[in-house]
Amino acid sequence: MSTSIEATSDLGTVATLRRGLELSPELRRGIGVTLALAAVTTVGRVVVPFVVQQTTDHGLLGKGGPDPGLVTRYVLLALIAVVATALSAYAVNVRLFRASEAGLASLRLRAFRHIHDLSTLTQNTERRGSMVSRVTSDVDTISQFVQFGGIILVLSLGQIAVATGLMLFYSPLLTAVVWLCFVPLLFVIRRFQTIVGRAYTAVRERVGDLLAAVSESVVGAATIRAYGVEERTAARIDAAIEGHRSAAIRAQVRSVVAFSSGQLVAGLTLAVVLVVGTVQAVHDDLTLGQLLAFLFLVNLFTQPVQQATEILNELQNAVAGWRRVIGVVDTRADVADPGDAGQVLPRGPITVDFEGVSFAYPGGATVLHDVDLSIAPRSRVAIVGETGSGKSTLAKLLTRLMDPSTGTVRIDGVDLRDVRFSSLRERVVLVPQEGFLFDATLRENVRFGRPDASDDDITLAITELGLDAWLAGLPQGLATEVGQRGESLSAGERQLVALARAYLADPDLLVLDEATSAVDPSTEVRLQRALEGLTRGRTSVAIAHRLSTAEAADEVVVVDRGHIVERGPHRELVRAGGVYSALYASWSAQQRG
Amino acid sequence: MSVDAAPSLRRSLAIVGVGIRREPRWFAFAVAGSTLYGVMTVLTASAIGKVTREQIQPAVKAGSVTSPQLWTIFAWVAGAVLLNVVGVVIRRIAAGFTMYNVAAGYRREVTRQYLRLPLSWHHRHPSGQLLSNANADVEATWNVFAPLPMALGVIVMLVAGIVQMVLVDPIMAVIGLTVFPALFLANLVFQRAMSPRVSRAQQLRAEVSEVAHESFEAALVVKSMGREEQEAVRFEEVTRRLQGANVDVGRTRGTFDPVIEAIPTIGTLAVLAVGTHQVAVGVLQPAAVVQVAYLISVLAFPVRALGWVLGELPRTVVGWDRVDAVLKARGELAFGDQQLKHSGAARSQLKGVDYSYDIVDEAGRESRFQAIHDVSIDVPAGSTVALVGPTGSGKSTLTNLTLRLVDPDRGDVTLDGTDLRRVVRGGVSSVAALVPQQTFMFDDTVRGNITLGLDHTDEEVWAALEVAQAYTFVEALGAGLDTRVGERGASLSGGQRQRIALARAIIRTPQLLVLDDATSAVDPAVEQAILAGLRRSSSGTTVLVVAYRMSTITLADEIVYVEHGRVVDHGTHQELQQRCEGYERLVTAYAREAAERAAVTADEEEVVR
C-alpha cells in the first residue's frame, strides 16, 4: 500500500492531455464552434497576405501597368477579410478563456477537495507548500498554455495545411523540397520534447522546494529568532532559490536550443528552395515571378512551424504542471468515504467496539496488536500509557482518520468503513493536541464546529464549559482576532478554543487526544467537571498524560507497547498494583512536589 | 491594498530600470543579441534581393547556371539566416539569465526581510501572502524581461526601417508611418484597460493561495470535524472570483490582440491603394510602393514585441508594489554593540515592563491591547524560577520578553545587568535558549534539528538526547541521527518533537534556559527523568520555567505567580501557598479534585454497603 501523494503522474504526454481533458470537461465544451472559428481565423491569416501579394503582382506590377480599379477591388476584399479575421479571432479568444478558466477552476476545486479527502497519513507525507502549488501555480502553467499556446498551436497547424495547399498549386516539386527539409526536424523535435519536458519538470519541483524553504522561515519565525539561526535559515533558503534559478535557466537554454533549431531549419529551407528554384527556372519549369511568389509562401509555412515548435516546448511546461495536479487527483484516498453506499446512523448514545484490531504504519513496525475493546454508551473512558504506547493510534482508528491493518472498529455495531463520513463526523469528533485555528475571529473559529450557530449559542457553549471568565479577559471577546494559526493566543488558549469548537459541534462521541495538555490545572479541572455534567448521555474518550483525567473517568484503559494491559475503574487499577498504579504513583508524586 | 488604476508608463519603466541595474551585463548581452537579430531580419530580405538581382536573374536570362553560382545563392541566404539565429539564441539565453538572476536576487532580499522583521509583523501577515510575495509576485515583476530585449531590438529595426522608407519616398513613408503611432496608441489604450484587471487577478491569485495554504495546514481539524465540504465551498468562492477575473483579462486581451494584428495590414493596404494611384498618375515608381509595403509587413510582427512589453508592464507594477511593501517594511529590532559574557549562569531581570500589541476589531479599526502591566521579575544567576499562572495570563509573552523576541513598551529587560536592546545581533541567542510550548522542527535530520548548524560532535548530540530522554526513540529511528523528520517534524509525535526541542536547547549549555511548559506532551515518568537530567547537567545555568506540575514548581527557588499580565505575588512555594489564594487554587487543583472524588466514591461505596 502506498500512502504518499504521487510526486507527478507517470503518464506520457498524450495520456496526460487525455486525462487532463477528462478532469476538466469544460475544456471541451463548445470546442467544435471554437475550432470552426479558429479555421476562419487561419484562413483569414493566410488569405490576407496572399491577397496583398496578388494585388501587388496583378494590380501594381501587372503587364498592363498599374490598375487602380483592380487594386481598389482587391483592397476592399482584403479589408473585409481583415475584419472577419479580427472578429473571429476575438470570438476564439473569449471562448477559449471562458472554457479554459471554467475547466481549470474545476480542476483546482477537484484537486483541493481530493487533498482533503486523502488520509491524514497520506497528507502528512507531503509538504504543505507543495500541496498548495498543486492547486495554484501548477494549474496556472496549464492555463497559460491552453489560452495562448493551445490556440496558436491549432492556428499554426491550420496555417501549415493551408500554406501547403497553396504551395502545391505553384510547384509540387518545391513543396516536396520544403517538406523534406522539415522532416528531420520532426524527429529532432521529439527528442527535444523529452529533454525540455524533463527540464521543466525539474523547475516545477524546485518551485515546491522554494515554497517549502520560504514557508519554514515564515512559520518557524519564533524558533529562528530564539536560536539566532537567521543565517543558517537564510543559507537554506538561498540554496532553494539557487536550485530554482539554475533549473529555470537550464530549462530556458534547452528550450532556446530547441526553438532555434526550428528557426534554423526554416532559414535553410529558404536557401534550398532558392537554389532548387533557380535550377528549375533556368530549365523553364518555373518563371522567376512564380519562384518569388513561392518564397512568400514558404514564409507563410515556416512561420507557423517555428511557432509550433515553441508552443510544443510550452506544452511540456504545461504537461509538467498537469502531471503534478493529476498526480494528486489520482492518488487513491486509502481511507475513503463510502458515500451514498454508506450507512447513516441515527443520533443518540453510542457504542464502540474494537475487534482484533492491529495497526502498522506502511513499511513500519506494528504499533497496535490485536486489540479488543468495548466502550459502553454514556461512559467516560480514559486511555493512558507511556509516550509511544499506541494511545494516539487508538484515537485515530476510533475516529477513522486511519483504517486498521486487520480487525474491525464498529460504532453501534456498524463497521466504521461502512458509515457515511457526513454521519460519522457528525457523531464522532476528535480534538487533537494542536487544534489548528484559522486566521479569523474567535467567534468564527468556534462556529467552525457548527456553521449555523448564533452568537448566543457560542457564548452559551463557552459559559457551559466554564470559560466565561477567560472570554471576558480577552481584548475583544468573541470578536478577538486569533491571528495566523491562532498565534495571537497562547497554546493553552488555542486548546480552549478547539475544545469549545468541538463542544459546539455536539457529537455523540467526543475523543480528546491530549486536548487540554497546555491548559492550567484549575481550568482543566473546571473543564472536566463541566464536560462531565454535560456529557451525561454522551460518550467520551480522553487520552491524557495528566492522570486527573483518568481519576475522573468511569473506566481507565492502559496501553503498553501496543497492547491493552489493564482496564477498569481508577480505584481498582490503583489497588491492582500493575502498570497503572506505577504510573499513578509517579503522577501523584508530581502533584505533591 | 490600493492599486493605481493606470500606473504611468514612466513608473513602470522606472521599475524595469531598477531591474536592469541589477544585471546590466546580461541585459546588455540580450539587447546586443536582439540588435543582431533585428539587423539580420532586415538584411535577410536584402540578401534575397541581392542574390535575385545578381545571380538568379542573370542565370535565368542566360538559361544556364553553374554550381559556384548556386553555392553563392545558398551561402548568402544561409549565412544571413545563421546570424539571425545566433542573435535569437544570444538574446533569449541572456534574457533568461537577466530575468532569473534578478528574480533570484529579489527572492533573497524578500526572504531576508522575513528573517529580519519582528514577530509582530509576521503575526499581521498571512503566511500564504508571504509565500506569494516571495514566489509569484517576484515572478510577475520580472517576467517583463522575457519580451523586453526583443522589443529594444525592434526599436533598432524600426529606426532602420523608417530611414529606408523616407529614403524611398517621403509621402509613402508618411502613410506607412501612421501605422506605428496607431499601433503604439492601441497598445497604450490596451495597457490602461488591462492594468486594473491584471491587478485584480493577481490579488485573487494570492488569495487562492492563502486559502489553500491555511486550509491544508488545518487538514486534520477539517477532517476530524467533517468540514471538507465547507472548506471546498470557501475555496470555490475565491476560485470562482479568480476565474471571473481571468476571463475578464482574457476578454480585454481578446479585444486588443486582433486590433493590433490588423493595424499593419490595413497600413499595407492603404500604401498599396494610394501608391497604385500615385503610380498611375506617374509621380511614383512601382518599386517604391512595393518596398514600403514590404517594409511595413516585415516590421509589423516584431513591432508586436513592443505590445508584449506594454502588456507585461501592469503585472510588473502590481508585482513590484507587493514585493516592495515587504522590502520597505520596517520595525526590525535594532541592535547595540554590547557583548554578553559566555561563562557561568546569567542573571535575568525584567524591570517595570509593560507590553501591548496591536489589535484590529471587526470593523478594521486598530487599537492596542496591553497584555503585560508593570512586571518586574528577578532571576538570580544559577537559580531556578518558576512562572505560574492561569492559561492566557501572559506567561509566554514574558518568556518572549526575557529572550528579546519582542521589546517592551516600557521598562527594561536585562541579562547580567546589560539591557538586551544594547546587545549585539545574535548576542542574546548565543547565551540563552528557549524551549517554546509549541515546538518547531525544520525539514532536516534529527542531528540538524539539534545542532542547528553549530559544530557539535555526535557524542554531544547523543548526550543532549539522553538528558532530554530522547536517546532511546532516536536510536530506534531508521537512520538514527541522520533520520529526516519531515516538514515541521511530521514523522514524529508531539512528545518526541518536544524532547528534540529540549535537546536543541540543552546542547548549547546556555547561561539562561527558558522552558515554556516544554514538557506538556510527555508523560509524567519521562518528565521526571528529564527534570532529573536537567538538574544534573545544568549547574551553570539559570532556569526560568513555566510550569503547572507541582514537581516542577517545587524544584524552583522562587515562584512568580501572574494573573492577567500582572505579578500577583512571588516567593517560595510554602509562602505562596499560605498567602496567595489564586496560586493555591491553581497548583492544588488536581489534588483537591482527587480528594473530592475519593470522598464521593467512598460515600457511594458506603451507600452500596
Side-chain angles (χ1 to χ4, degrees), chain A residues 45 48 61 66 71 82 86 90 93 97-98 101-102 105 109 112-113 115-116 118 120 123 127-128 132 140 148 211 215-216 218 220 223 225-228 230 232 234 236 238 241 244-245 248-249 252 256 260 263-264 267 270-271 274 282 288 310 386-387 401 425 430 433-434 436 438-439 443 448-449 451 475-476 479 481 484-485 487 491-494 501 517 519-522 524-525 529 532 545-546 548 551-552 571 587 590-591 593, chain B residues 48 56-57 63-64 74 77 81-82 88-89 92 97 100-101 107-108 112 114-115 117 122-123 126-127 131 205 213-221 223-224 226-231 234-236 240 243 246 250-251 253-255 258 261-262 265 276 279 286 360-362 369 390-392 405 429 434 437-438 440 442-444 452-453 487-488 499 504-505 508 520-521 523-524 527-528 548 550-551 554 586 590 593-594 596-597 601 605:
Chain A
R45 283 211 173 128
V48 169
L61 306 172
V71 169
V82 166
Y90 168 76
N93 263 320
F97 261 88
R98 280 227 187 87
E101 285 300 330
L109 296 175
F112 177 87
R113 182 55 212 257
I115 287 175
H116 276 304
L118 292 172
T120 312
Q123 286 171 344
R127 292 179 306 207
R128 296 296 190 257
V132 174
D140 291 340
F148 303 103
L211 288 174
S215 102
E216 240 178 32
V218 171
T223 301
R225 278 156 189 74
Y227 283 84
E230 286 88 351
R232 177 172 188 264
R236 284 161 68 90
D238 284 357
I241 291 175
H244 173 258
R245 186 196 72 93
I249 287 177
Q252 171 89 352
V256 167
S260 307
Q263 214 186 11
L264 194 63
L270 202 63
L274 259 182
V282 167
L288 187 59
E310 174 138 49
E386 290 186 2
T387 309
L401 291 177
R425 303 297 182 215
L430 169 83
Q433 186 177 14
E434 287 171 15
F436 185 93
F438 294 86
D439 182 15
R443 174 188 296 118
F448 190 76
Q476 289 156 312
E481 292 279 348
Q484 281 289 303
R485 292 175 293 277
E487 280 168 5
E493 290 177 306
R494 287 201 289 273
R501 172 166 74 187
S517 63
V519 173
D520 74 74
S522 31
E524 194 187 22
V525 165
R529 293 236 146 182
E532 244 170 73
H545 295 311
R546 296 184 180 178
S548 54
E551 289 173 64
R571 291 166 61 83
W587 158 258
Q590 279 191 316
Q591 295 329 300
Chain B
I48 293 175
I56 304 177
Q57 270 177 348
S64 73
F74 184 83
V77 177
V81 167
L82 197 65
V88 170
V89 169
R92 291 194 155 206
F97 271 96
Y100 294 120
N101 286 358
R107 289 200 167 109
R108 279 192 290 272
R112 249 2 137 259
Y114 292 169
L115 292 172
L117 288 165
H122 276 273
H123 290 160
S127 31
L131 283 184
R205 201 167 284 134
H213 199 264
E214 187 178 58
S215 189
F216 292 159
E217 292 235 29
L220 177 63
V221 168
K223 189 183 286 291
S224 63
R227 289 290 175 269
E228 292 93 340
E229 202 51 55
Q230 196 178 318
E231 284 300 284
R234 186 160 83 105
F235 185 69
E236 168 149 24
R240 292 295 177 204
Q243 178 189 344
N246 280 343
R251 188 177 298 116
R253 193 179 282 267
T255 310
E261 197 173 307
T265 315
T276 311
V279 173
V360 181
D361 66 12
E362 281 168 305
F369 177 74
T391 302
L405 290 183
S429 60
L434 167 74
Q437 208 167 21
Q438 199 158 9
F440 180 83
F442 294 90
D443 184 6
D444 198 343
L452 295 181
E487 188 183 38
R488 322 270 151 82
R499 282 179 278 168
R504 179 190 285 167
R508 301 181 157 224
S520 60
D523 55 65
E527 192 194 24
Q528 282 302 300
Y548 295 128
M550 196 78 100
S551 54
T554 47
L586 188 84
Y590 293 141
E593 180 74 0
E596 276 175 40
R597 277 183 200 283
T601 323
E605 283 176 5

Side-chain angles (χ1 to χ4, degrees), chain A residues 517-579:
Chain A
S517 63
V519 173
D520 74 74
S522 31
T523 307
E524 194 187 22
V525 165
R526 216 163 51 238
L527 270 174
Q528 219 158 52
R529 293 236 146 182
L531 281 173
E532 244 170 73
L534 301 160
T535 51
R536 306 269 176 230
R538 181 183 288 159
T539 313
S540 74
V541 174
I543 292 169
H545 295 311
R546 296 184 180 178
L547 296 190
S548 54
T549 311
E551 289 173 64
D554 298 323
E555 186 171 26
V556 179
V557 174
V558 185
V559 189
D560 190 29
R561 272 166 273 171
H563 297 273
I564 292 184
V565 291
E566 280 180 303
R567 56 180 304 189
H570 165 72
R571 291 166 61 83
E572 280 178 25
L573 293 187
V574 171
R575 286 194 208 119
V579 178

Side-chain angles (χ1 to χ4, degrees), chain A residues 20-21 51 56 59 89 106 151 167 179 189 244 295 308 336 340 365 421 432 445 554 587:
Chain A
L21 284 177
V51 171
T56 318
S106 53
I151 194 62
M167 288 194 307
W179 271 91
I189 285 175
H244 173 258
L295 281 184
D340 290 341
F421 270 15
N445 271 291
D554 298 323
W587 158 258

Side-chain angles (χ1 to χ4, degrees), chain A residues 1-13:
Chain A
M1 178 177 77
S2 155
T3 50
S4 59
I5 297 180
E6 289 178 49
T8 170
S9 92
D10 47 13
L11 296 176
T13 304

Side-chain angles (χ1 to χ4, degrees), chain B residues 47-62:
Chain B
I48 293 175
K50 183 181 159 72
V51 293
T52 308
R53 270 194 316 278
E54 295 176 5
Q55 307 292 334
I56 304 177
Q57 270 177 348
V60 172
K61 239 175 227 154

